[in-house]
Amino acid sequence: MSLSSTGAVPSRRAPRQRSRPIRACWRHTLASESPPNLLELDRIEAGYGHAALVLRGLTITVPRSTIVCLVGPNGAGKSTVLKVASGMLHPRGGTVRLDGHDVTRHGPQQRLRAGLAHVLQGHSVFPEMTVGENVRLGAYTVPDRATVATRVQFVQHLFPVVSEQWDVLAGLLSGGQQKQVEFARSLMIDPKVVLLDEPSMGLDPKATATVFEQIERMRDTGTAVLLVEQNARRALQTADIGCVLDLGRVHMSGPAPELLDDPELSQLYLGGHVAG
Ligand SMILES: Nc1ncnc2c1ncn2[C@@H]1O[C@H](COP(=O)(O)OP(=O)(O)OP(=O)(O)O)[C@@H](O)[C@H]1O
């Protein structure tokens, strides 16, 4: 598949080596009934207050079981895309669709209930609460105790550190471990889409590697992941599809391995070293 400069993400991704699929029983209906693109941002125009537009007709789609990574220079609008997707910032034009439904005018709470989780930049665990209490907080909108118990088992299986440290105060965990607690908490609503804003920020290389492995595991459960990451080269090594943003538009998109191998893109956006 070749790179696209149209702004639309190609619907199929290049084959990638994946870990063994991890499926939870409640996800079977999701996989069979949902449209292929779980998140669609269609010709989005957005900005802050009365200032000039930051996003200028941006189109991005995130299929099921796919990691889409946004890269680009500082100020290109990457975090703004996540804010529009999560409902924190309402666009001035364009449409946001979640699992085929128009949610453009819905706020963050409505989108959360509809299956969109947003893991924010930095650390958002409650340090004085245990890992288990933090994770269970993610299910506060889920009334059925049996469902919560099933999801707890699922995230404990997916993130071993969460299981091992269940009764430990979250504030005592390392940065990388806390990030995995945040991932586990986000999965407690059984999201269709997870937005990840700079998940490796402040982590050492080993913790970063673990966090990216866990993002792949989330993807392998069927979740659509939209990722913003400063560490563009590392993120593209994990992602299925890359989108290069510049001046509020998708400058180029395509299978992440092809973006990594493109000498011009590498020079402009990835620090000049072509992956070898
Ligand atoms: N809350 C805000 N109020 C006003 N302007 C903002 C706000 N947040 C971001 N901007 C502006 O929007 C533009 C895009 O910012 P954004 O944070 O989306 O870019 P980015 O690509 O994520 O950048 P970086 O890689 O530096 O995080 C910038 O010009 C920024 O100054």
Side-chain angles (χ1 to χ4, degrees), residues 48 54 72-81 83 121 198 228 230:
Y48 298 90
V54 173
N74 293 121
K78 302 180 295 293
S79 296
T80 303
V81 172
K83 287 179 199 163
Q121 215 176 83
E198 306 279 4
V228 166
Q230 286 290 346

Short mmCIF file of all heavy atoms in Angstrom, two decimals, residues 48 54 72-81 83 121 198 228 230, ligand 1:
data_model
loop_
_atom_site.label_atom_id
_atom_site.label_comp_id
_atom_site.label_asym_id
_atom_site.label_seq_id
_atom_site.Cartn_x
_atom_site.Cartn_y
_atom_site.Cartn_z
N TYR A 48 -9.16 27.50 19.22
CA TYR A 48 -9.43 27.89 20.60
C TYR A 48 -9.98 29.31 20.63
O TYR A 48 -9.35 30.24 20.09
CB TYR A 48 -8.16 27.80 21.43
CG TYR A 48 -7.62 26.37 21.49
CD1 TYR A 48 -6.72 25.90 20.53
CD2 TYR A 48 -8.04 25.51 22.50
CE1 TYR A 48 -6.24 24.59 20.59
CE2 TYR A 48 -7.57 24.20 22.56
CZ TYR A 48 -6.67 23.76 21.60
OH TYR A 48 -6.21 22.47 21.66
N VAL A 54 -6.83 25.89 14.33
CA VAL A 54 -5.67 25.01 14.53
C VAL A 54 -5.78 23.81 13.60
O VAL A 54 -4.82 23.41 12.95
CB VAL A 54 -5.58 24.56 16.01
CG1 VAL A 54 -4.49 23.52 16.19
CG2 VAL A 54 -5.34 25.76 16.92
N GLY A 72 4.20 14.69 14.08
CA GLY A 72 4.32 16.00 13.42
C GLY A 72 5.02 16.98 14.34
O GLY A 72 5.22 16.70 15.53
N PRO A 73 5.38 18.12 13.82
CA PRO A 73 6.15 19.09 14.61
C PRO A 73 5.33 19.66 15.77
O PRO A 73 4.10 19.56 15.79
CB PRO A 73 6.49 20.18 13.60
CG PRO A 73 5.52 20.02 12.49
CD PRO A 73 5.11 18.60 12.45
N ASN A 74 6.02 20.28 16.71
CA ASN A 74 5.35 20.96 17.82
C ASN A 74 4.37 21.98 17.27
O ASN A 74 4.68 22.71 16.34
CB ASN A 74 6.37 21.69 18.72
CG ASN A 74 7.27 20.73 19.46
OD1 ASN A 74 8.48 20.77 19.31
ND2 ASN A 74 6.70 19.84 20.22
N GLY A 75 3.18 21.98 17.86
CA GLY A 75 2.18 22.96 17.46
C GLY A 75 1.38 22.56 16.23
O GLY A 75 0.53 23.31 15.76
N ALA A 76 1.62 21.36 15.69
CA ALA A 76 0.90 20.92 14.48
C ALA A 76 -0.58 20.69 14.75
O ALA A 76 -1.39 20.70 13.83
CB ALA A 76 1.53 19.65 13.92
N GLY A 77 -0.92 20.42 16.01
CA GLY A 77 -2.33 20.21 16.35
C GLY A 77 -2.65 18.80 16.83
O GLY A 77 -3.82 18.42 16.91
N LYS A 78 -1.63 18.03 17.18
CA LYS A 78 -1.85 16.61 17.54
C LYS A 78 -2.75 16.48 18.78
O LYS A 78 -3.73 15.73 18.77
CB LYS A 78 -0.49 15.92 17.78
CG LYS A 78 0.44 15.98 16.57
CD LYS A 78 1.76 15.30 16.82
CE LYS A 78 2.62 15.94 17.88
NZ LYS A 78 3.14 17.28 17.54
N SER A 79 -2.40 17.22 19.84
CA SER A 79 -3.22 17.12 21.06
C SER A 79 -4.61 17.69 20.82
O SER A 79 -5.60 17.23 21.42
CB SER A 79 -2.55 17.87 22.22
OG SER A 79 -1.33 17.25 22.53
N THR A 80 -4.69 18.68 19.95
CA THR A 80 -6.00 19.27 19.63
C THR A 80 -6.90 18.23 18.97
O THR A 80 -8.11 18.20 19.22
CB THR A 80 -5.82 20.51 18.73
OG1 THR A 80 -4.95 21.44 19.40
CG2 THR A 80 -7.14 21.18 18.42
N VAL A 81 -6.32 17.35 18.16
CA VAL A 81 -7.11 16.27 17.55
C VAL A 81 -7.73 15.40 18.64
O VAL A 81 -8.92 15.06 18.59
CB VAL A 81 -6.22 15.41 16.62
CG1 VAL A 81 -6.99 14.18 16.14
CG2 VAL A 81 -5.73 16.21 15.43
N LYS A 83 -8.40 16.26 21.70
CA LYS A 83 -9.44 17.03 22.42
C LYS A 83 -10.75 17.04 21.61
O LYS A 83 -11.83 16.94 22.19
CB LYS A 83 -8.96 18.46 22.66
CG LYS A 83 -7.89 18.56 23.74
CD LYS A 83 -7.45 20.00 23.92
CE LYS A 83 -6.10 20.07 24.61
NZ LYS A 83 -5.45 21.37 24.45
N GLN A 121 -2.28 12.95 29.16
CA GLN A 121 -0.84 13.12 29.32
C GLN A 121 -0.48 13.13 30.81
O GLN A 121 -1.28 13.60 31.62
CB GLN A 121 -0.50 14.48 28.72
CG GLN A 121 0.82 14.56 28.03
CD GLN A 121 1.01 15.93 27.39
OE1 GLN A 121 1.41 16.86 28.08
NE2 GLN A 121 0.73 16.05 26.11
N GLU A 198 0.57 11.05 24.64
CA GLU A 198 1.96 10.98 25.12
C GLU A 198 2.16 9.92 26.21
O GLU A 198 2.63 10.24 27.31
CB GLU A 198 2.40 12.35 25.69
CG GLU A 198 2.21 13.51 24.75
CD GLU A 198 3.33 13.63 23.73
OE1 GLU A 198 4.21 12.76 23.71
OE2 GLU A 198 3.28 14.58 22.95
N VAL A 228 -1.01 9.84 20.31
CA VAL A 228 -0.16 11.00 20.05
C VAL A 228 1.12 10.80 20.85
O VAL A 228 1.06 10.47 22.04
CB VAL A 228 -0.84 12.32 20.50
CG1 VAL A 228 0.16 13.45 20.55
CG2 VAL A 228 -1.96 12.67 19.53
N GLN A 230 5.40 12.08 21.29
CA GLN A 230 6.58 12.86 20.89
C GLN A 230 7.65 11.96 20.31
O GLN A 230 8.37 12.34 19.39
CB GLN A 230 7.18 13.58 22.12
CG GLN A 230 6.39 14.77 22.61
CD GLN A 230 6.45 15.94 21.64
OE1 GLN A 230 7.29 15.97 20.74
NE2 GLN A 230 5.55 16.89 21.81
N1 LIG B 1 -5.82 25.69 25.45
C1 LIG B 1 -5.35 26.36 24.39
N2 LIG B 1 -5.68 27.66 24.18
C2 LIG B 1 -5.21 28.33 23.10
N3 LIG B 1 -4.40 27.81 22.17
C3 LIG B 1 -4.01 26.53 22.33
C4 LIG B 1 -4.47 25.75 23.44
N4 LIG B 1 -3.93 24.50 23.32
C5 LIG B 1 -3.18 24.53 22.20
N5 LIG B 1 -3.23 25.74 21.60
C6 LIG B 1 -2.57 26.11 20.36
O1 LIG B 1 -2.96 25.21 19.34
C7 LIG B 1 -1.86 24.90 18.50
C8 LIG B 1 -1.71 23.40 18.41
O2 LIG B 1 -1.40 22.90 19.71
P1 LIG B 1 -1.37 21.34 20.03
O3 LIG B 1 -1.01 21.22 21.47
O4 LIG B 1 -2.58 20.69 19.54
O5 LIG B 1 -0.14 20.89 19.12
P2 LIG B 1 0.75 19.59 19.23
O6 LIG B 1 0.99 19.14 17.84
O7 LIG B 1 0.12 18.61 20.16
O8 LIG B 1 2.06 20.19 19.84
P3 LIG B 1 3.18 19.52 20.79
O9 LIG B 1 3.88 18.49 19.95
O10 LIG B 1 4.07 20.67 21.11
O11 LIG B 1 2.47 18.95 21.98
C9 LIG B 1 -0.64 25.62 19.07
O12 LIG B 1 -0.45 26.81 18.34
C10 LIG B 1 -1.05 25.94 20.49
O13 LIG B 1 -0.47 27.13 20.93
#
